């Protein structure tokens, strides 16, 4: 401590002497570097001011009393700045703590998502899901049942931040309790609605689109709980159709029935599920049109499902200058040619 | 006999008087000019709190000595409303001035030892010590 003060004193003295001699920019540059060193050594503004005075008194003899006295005022004022600086440091430490806690929570949340790749003959599947912040309000799911049918889902919690993200785990656990024979979309949404209605706050809702693909007959079944409409692509005519079914968002009423639709996927046909973070991407300040999304997909028909969704995410992320406003989830399931 | 001074706080004049007495004693004990200013700021904040929240009270300052060190102690006491949630009050960023670093957490930083004893409806005693280095 003593040593440090001595060396600081000496350094500052050399700096000031050299500056007073030639008023060079070089000496000022030194001072700028020195300020970083002072902060590293936790030197407060009031100590710095006081250091300046004592060095100055040392170099310039016969400093007028008034000049010395004026420093009393400056030190007094600087104490306030010193306190604000210390408080800032402690709040910054606190922020880092919170950040790392949030990282743990985000990591836990990621473990709720499926990891293994879908390896199913005749099916090409891809998904990308990126949270705007640390925690995501989007959830996606895919799973193969023992009959070889592939269930897929995208859900979006209406509500922000950590509580919204936490309610995600409820969806996951509720889905885990469903057995293989209960994987019909209408039934799944009805059960989830009951769980959600009972367990989350009134001001929180969840939208969800759930579908099942039966590869043997190439049938796709789906139902929606107020979720952002998806797309259905017909390869034969190269056209997109909106994938939509009426249904109340999860969590409003205890008993809700969900209508189910089904259609056949011909070779090259695919379905797209997404969250509103995709359609509410803003390019040049304006929401993109759904047609822009289908155009982006069409340009990439030759790619794999995973490549398509990845590339679209990258393009939209770039167009928004890498600042997502909302969680982004895009999923594509294609019957291979 | 060690020096001890009381200042009654019931107006802004009292705050200034407490500062003055504090700075004087700090100088006499041998604190450098920066520490004198720090001790004075701490006294000022404590006295202001008494004036604002308890209307009146007292600042007592005295020289203290341990086996191997000397220092200065401030005792701010009042019989005001007391502090409901001391833990909250000691959190950074809680003060009404908000994020300017002063207030009680500031006092704690300026001094070496700090202790609050507060009881609702019966008063607050805050003790703080700064040691001479
Ligand atoms: N002597 C006291 N008696 C009763 N309440 C007090 C006393 N001292 C502080 N408090 C309470 O503690 C709170 C925090 O005090 P503190 O001095 O840290 O900040 P502040 O006075 O609100 O703002 P400032 O930063 O301007 O000092 C006060 O708002 C007040 O409610
Ligand atoms: Mg205060």
């Amino acid at each position: 401590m003593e040593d440090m003060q001595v060396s600081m004193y000496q350094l500052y003295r050399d700096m000031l002497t050299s500056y007073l001699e030639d008023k060079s920019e070089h000496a000022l540059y030194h001072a700028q570097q020195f300020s970083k060193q002072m902060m590293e050594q936790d030197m407060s503004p009031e100590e710095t001011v006081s250091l300046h005075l004592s060095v100055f008194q040392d170099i310039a003899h016969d400093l007028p009393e008034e000049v010395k006295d004026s420093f009393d005022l400056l030190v007094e004022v600087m104490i306030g700045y010193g306190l604000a600086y210390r408080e800032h440091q402690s709040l910054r430490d606190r922020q880092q703590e919170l950040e790392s806690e949030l990282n743990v929570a985000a990591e836990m949340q990621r473990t709720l998502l499926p990891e293994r790749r879908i390896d199913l003959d005749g099916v090409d599947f891809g998904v990308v899901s990126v949270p705007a912040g640390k925690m995501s309000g989007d959830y996606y799911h895919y799973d193969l049942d023992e009959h070889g049918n592939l269930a897929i889902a995208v859900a979006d919690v209406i509500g922000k931040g950590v509580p919204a993200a936490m309610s995600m785990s409820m969806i996951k656990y509720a889905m885990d309790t469903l057995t293989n024979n209960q994987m019909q979309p209408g039934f799944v949404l009805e059960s989830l609605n009951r769980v959600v209605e009972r367990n989350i706050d009134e001001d929180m809702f969840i939208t969800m689109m759930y579908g099942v693909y039966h590869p043997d007959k190439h049938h796709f079944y789906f139902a929606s709980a107020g979720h952002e409409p998806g797309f259905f692509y017909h390869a034969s005519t190269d056209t997109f159709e909106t994938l939509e079914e009426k249904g109340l968002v999860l969590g409003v009423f205890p008993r809700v029935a969900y209508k189910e639709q089904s259609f056949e996927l011909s070779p090259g046909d695919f379905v797209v599920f997404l969250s509103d973070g995709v359609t509410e991407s803003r390019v040049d300040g304006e929401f993109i049109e759904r047609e822009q999304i289908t155009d982006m997909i069409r340009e990439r028909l030759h790619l794999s499902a995973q490549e398509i969704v990845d590339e679209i995410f990258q393009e939209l992320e770039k167009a928004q200058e890498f600042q997502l406003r909302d969680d982004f989830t895009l999923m594509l399931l294609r019957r291979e040619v | 006999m060690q020096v001890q001074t009381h200042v009654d706080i019931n107006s802004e004049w009292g705050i200034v008087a407490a500062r003055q007495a504090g700075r004087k004693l700090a100088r006499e004990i041998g604190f450098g000019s920066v520490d004198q200013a720090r001790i004075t700021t701490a006294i000022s904040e404590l006295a202001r709190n008494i004036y604002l929240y308890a209307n009146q009270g007292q600042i007592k300052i005295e020289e203290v000595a341990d086996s191997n060190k000397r220092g200065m102690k401030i005792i701010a006491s009042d019989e005001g409303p007391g502090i409901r949630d001391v833990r909250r009050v000691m959190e950074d960023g809680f003060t009404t001035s908000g994020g300017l670093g002063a207030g009680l957490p500031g006092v704690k930083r300026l001094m070496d030892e700090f202790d609050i004893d507060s009881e609702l409806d019966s008063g607050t005693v805050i003790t703080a010590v700064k040691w001479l280095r």
Side-chain angles (χ1 to χ4, degrees):
Chain A
M1 185 71 196
E2 290 286 281
D3 289 353
M4 174 204 112
Q5 275 171 355
V6 171
S7 69
M8 285 298 224
Y9 186 92
Q10 199 50 51
L11 269 171
Y12 199 83
R13 202 194 140 107
D14 294 348
M15 237 163 43
L16 190 58
T17 313
S18 119
Y19 181 67
L20 292 179
E21 262 164 30
D22 59 10
K23 313 252 170 19
S24 73
E25 192 60 42
H26 189 249
L28 290 179
Y29 172 61
H30 255 300
Q32 186 219 335
Q33 299 302 99
F34 182 69
S35 77
K36 289 178 197 159
Q37 205 176 330
M38 291 190 298
M39 281 188 270
E40 266 167 24
Q41 304 210 11
D42 262 339
M43 197 157 159
S44 66
E46 65 267 26
E47 279 162 339
T48 309
V49 167
S50 149
L51 175 65
H52 180 83
L53 177 62
S54 35
V55 169
F56 197 30
Q57 270 179 307
D58 208 6
I59 304 177
H61 310 281
D62 306 323
L63 213 55
E65 275 308 302
E66 276 172 322
V67 174
K68 280 188 235 164
D69 292 347
S70 78
F71 273 79
D72 293 345
L73 208 81
L74 189 54
V75 165
E76 193 73 26
V77 171
M78 279 330 205
I79 284 187
Y81 281 94
L83 285 175
Y85 176 63
R86 294 247 138 77
E87 180 182 60
H88 167 83
Q89 283 176 315
S90 103
L91 289 174
R92 202 184 45 194
D93 291 350
R94 178 89 195 105
Q95 193 205 345
Q96 271 165 5
E97 252 170 59
L98 290 174
E99 194 115 323
S100 62
E101 275 174 38
L102 210 53
N103 282 338
V104 174
E107 191 43 52
M108 261 182 78
Q109 197 189 23
R110 264 192 293 282
T111 64
L112 297 175
L113 298 171
E115 296 180 1
R116 64 198 176 92
R117 297 195 51 81
I118 287 299
D119 193 11
L120 191 61
D121 275 350
V123 170
D124 178 23
F125 175 81
V127 59
V128 61
S129 185
V130 181
K134 289 223 186 274
M135 306 281 282
S136 182
D138 280 1
Y139 175 72
Y140 68 87
H141 166 87
Y142 57 80
D143 197 19
L144 269 181
D145 73 7
E146 59 197 21
H147 312 297
N149 301 324
L150 174 61
I152 62 173
V154 170
D156 185 352
V157 184
I158 316 293
K160 280 269 162 267
V162 177
M166 276 164 52
S167 62
M168 207 68 58
S169 55
M170 175 174 56
I171 296 274
K172 149 89 173 152
Y173 298 133
M175 285 218 282
D176 282 352
T177 62
L178 299 171
T179 64
N180 278 326
N181 295 326
Q182 297 173 318
M183 279 173 47
Q184 285 105 15
F187 179 85
V188 170
L189 291 183
E190 273 168 51
S191 330
L192 290 180
N193 175 62
R194 239 177 293 127
V195 176
V196 170
E197 196 273 332
R198 253 183 262 153
N199 293 291
I200 68 173
D201 278 0
E202 273 172 32
D203 57 355
M204 219 148 63
F205 305 102
I206 299 176
T207 71
M208 185 170 195
M209 180 98 92
Y210 187 98
V212 181
Y213 179 57
H214 292 197
D216 50 352
K217 298 216 171 64
H218 314 296
H219 271 295
F220 186 75
Y221 303 83
F222 81 99
S224 169
H227 194 79
E228 179 75 24
F231 300 107
F232 173 27
Y233 177 76
H234 299 268
S236 58
T237 54
D238 185 27
T239 49
F240 282 91
E241 204 179 299
T242 299
L243 196 63
E244 191 171 21
E245 178 56 84
K246 284 203 174 63
L248 199 60
V249 297
L250 305 177
V252 181
F253 295 122
R255 235 170 270 216
V256 181
Y258 290 92
K259 267 197 278 178
E260 212 173 276
Q261 267 184 52
S262 75
F263 47 84
E264 201 181 314
L265 291 186
S266 303
D269 286 0
F270 58 81
V271 293
V272 176
F273 280 15
L274 39 80
S275 68
D276 58 10
V278 180
T279 45
E280 284 169 18
S281 294
R282 262 176 259 195
V283 176
D284 301 328
E286 299 203 23
F287 288 138
I288 57 168
E289 307 281 331
R290 284 172 65 85
E291 217 188 320
Q292 287 174 268
I293 299 171
T294 53
D295 286 347
M296 282 192 275
I297 298 173
R298 195 180 266 118
E299 285 164 16
R300 297 173 171 81
L301 291 174
H302 57 287
L303 301 176
S304 75
Q306 189 62 50
E307 286 165 346
I308 294 174
V309 294
D310 282 343
E311 282 199 7
I312 291 176
F313 169 70
Q314 283 156 13
E315 185 169 331
L316 288 175
E317 185 192 34
K318 186 152 179 266
Q320 299 183 89
E321 287 156 1
F322 300 93
Q323 300 226 309
L324 296 187
R325 283 188 184 75
D326 199 357
D327 310 318
F328 183 110
T329 302
L330 184 60
M331 182 182 267
L332 196 149
L333 182 160
R334 172 158 60 188
R335 177 179 168 194
E336 283 179 329
V337 185
Chain B
M1 184 60 216
Q2 279 165 349
V3 199
Q4 200 187 57
T5 310
H6 295 242
V7 179
D8 285 327
I9 307 296
N10 48 34
S11 68
E12 292 219 294
W13 290 112
I15 302 176
V16 175
R19 288 178 57 106
Q20 206 162 27
R23 195 187 299 272
K24 180 162 170 284
L25 180 60
R27 191 184 306 129
E28 282 165 13
I29 293 174
F31 283 103
S33 61
V34 171
D35 275 345
Q36 285 173 33
R38 285 180 175 145
I39 291 167
T40 306
T41 301
I43 291 174
S44 199
E45 289 290 313
L46 295 174
R48 238 171 76 81
N49 281 356
I50 292 176
Y51 173 62
L52 289 176
Y53 309 118
N55 289 319
Q56 55 179 329
Q58 218 185 32
I59 297 276
K60 195 165 87 176
I61 48 175
E62 62 189 33
E63 185 181 344
V64 284
D66 204 340
S67 50
N68 53 1
K69 51 188 176 182
R70 286 195 313 136
M72 178 164 161
K73 186 190 242 177
I74 311 167
I75 301 164
S77 58
D78 64 65
E79 292 173 3
I83 299 174
R84 183 174 296 282
D85 189 347
V86 175
R87 213 156 66 95
R88 280 295 303 277
V89 164
M90 292 313 295
E91 271 173 29
D92 279 318
F94 178 77
T95 65
T96 43
S97 58
L100 296 180
L104 294 173
V107 174
K108 184 171 177 183
R109 286 205 177 91
L110 291 167
M111 304 294 287
D112 295 322
E113 286 173 26
F114 181 87
D115 183 56
I116 300 188
D117 199 354
S118 187
E119 207 170 312
L120 272 190
D121 297 328
S122 80
T124 304
V125 178
I126 297 178
T127 312
V129 178
K130 183 129 195 119
W131 297 108
L132 199 58
R133 264 189 293 259

